[in-house]
Amino acid sequence: AFYVYVPYRDQSKAPVFDTAVGDFNFVQLFSVNRYLGNDRIGDANQLTLGLTSRLLEAETGAERLRVAVGQRFYFEDQRVVLNEPARSAATSDALLGIEGRLSDAWALIGLWQYNLDSSQTERLNAGVRYTPAPGRVFNATYTYNRQYFDPIGKQSQLKQFDLSWQLPVNPNWTLLGRWNYSLIDSKTLEAVAGVEYNAGCWAARFVAHRFVSATQEYVNSLFFQLELNGVSRIG
C-alpha cells in the first residue's frame, strides 16, 4: 500500500522544457509525481494497492514466475495538467503483469491494462524469448494499445508484432535481424538485417536498416563497422 498527498499549486504560468506524462505501469503506480521531469508537479490524494507473488525453485532459489496486480484509488479530482485531459475517475485502470522462465531456454513476459469502468482492454503487451544456447536468441512480442498518440498527436489504435533474433552460424559468423510490423497499417515499420565476422583480434559488422519516419516516409541506411579489439573502433 502506497499513499501520496501533494497539495495543489497553480503552475499554468510555469514554462515546460523537458517534462512529459509518465507511462502507466507498475513503476508509475508507486511514484509520487505522475510527470517525468520537474516542470510540473502533479497534485495528488491517492492510494495505490498492489500484490506480487513469486514462484522460486527450492533447490537453487531461482525465480521461475512472478505475477503482480495493482490499482490506484483517487480521493480528489485532478487539477494540474500538462497536455492530457484532467482525470475525474475515482480509480485507475487495473494492471496485471506476468514474467517467468518456463525452462532454461523459454521465458515469457506480459502486461495487461484493463479499464474496469468501460470493461475493455486499454493495453496489452505479450512476449516470449527463446535462448537455446549462449549467443543464440529469438524474441517475439505483440503490442496492443487502444488509444495511441503518434508523434504529431494523432490518435489511433496500435497493433504491432516485433520479431528479433541473433543466430551464430559458426564461431566466426553471426546473423542478426529485427522485423517490426503494424497490423493496423499493414506495413513494415522497421527492419534490420546484419552480419558479423569475428576473427578474435578484430571484427567486422555490416547492417542494413529500413524504418518509417515521422513523416511516414521510408528511410534506408547502411552501416559498416571495423573493430580492432582492445585498440579502436571505426565505422
Side-chain angles (χ1 to χ4, degrees):
F2 182 66
Y3 175 75
V4 176
Y5 175 73
V6 180
Y8 167 76
R9 295 292 185 270
D10 184 9
Q11 303 163 58
S12 58
K13 297 181 180 180
V16 177
F17 296 100
D18 56 358
T19 296
V21 180
D23 186 30
F24 187 70
N25 51 41
F26 280 102
V27 175
Q28 205 276 335
L29 268 181
F30 291 90
S31 298
V32 173
N33 191 10
R34 59 179 171 269
Y35 301 112
L36 303 177
N38 295 318
D39 300 325
R40 288 292 183 274
I41 305 299
D43 55 317
N45 186 4
Q46 61 199 30
L47 174 68
T48 298
L49 298 179
L51 180 66
T52 301
S53 182
R54 301 192 300 159
L55 178 63
L56 307 178
E57 284 188 348
E59 295 80 6
T60 64
E63 182 179 282
R64 283 298 183 183
L65 183 66
R66 179 194 297 251
V67 179
V69 61
Q71 189 177 15
R72 180 181 288 163
F73 300 86
Y74 304 101
F75 306 118
E76 294 180 4
D77 292 341
Q78 175 184 346
R79 299 178 65 184
V80 176
V81 296
L82 185 58
N83 52 18
E84 83 281 17
R87 171 203 45 78
S88 59
T91 60
S92 71
D93 296 341
L95 283 181
L96 173 65
I98 298 177
E99 182 176 356
R101 295 191 62 89
L102 303 179
S103 66
D104 293 336
W106 289 95
L108 60 85
I109 187 170
L111 179 66
W112 183 30
Q113 179 181 337
Y114 188 73
N115 190 322
L116 297 174
D117 293 331
S118 59
S119 300
Q120 60 185 351
T121 296
E122 295 290 338
R123 184 174 54 169
L124 175 65
N125 298 332
V128 62
R129 169 175 290 188
Y130 178 60
T131 52
R136 189 183 301 266
V137 60
F138 178 82
N139 299 299
T141 304
Y142 172 77
T143 302
Y144 167 78
N145 198 329
R146 190 180 69 85
Q147 290 183 316
Y148 171 73
F149 293 89
D150 62 17
I152 62 175
K154 180 181 178 182
Q155 180 181 347
S156 62
Q157 275 195 354
L158 185 146
K159 292 181 181 180
Q160 299 177 5
F161 67 79
D162 195 308
L163 305 177
S164 60
W165 60 90
Q166 178 175 298
L167 180 63
V169 179
N170 57 44
N172 300 112
W173 290 95
T174 299
L175 304 177
L176 62 89
R178 182 191 178 199
W179 184 33
N180 184 211
Y181 185 80
S182 173
L183 298 172
I184 296 292
D185 303 315
S186 298
K187 67 179 181 181
T188 297
L189 301 178
E190 184 176 18
V192 177
V195 60
E196 177 193 73
Y197 180 79
N198 194 329
C201 60
W202 65 276
R205 305 177 181 96
F206 181 81
V207 175
H209 185 206
R210 177 179 174 89
F211 69 97
V212 177
S213 66
T215 59
Q216 300 302 309
E217 297 179 352
Y218 278 106
V219 178
N220 301 310
S221 305
L222 297 175
F223 300 91
F224 177 76
Q225 184 181 73
L226 178 65
E227 180 176 359
L228 303 178
N229 290 332
V231 181
S232 64
R233 177 184 300 174
I234 60 174

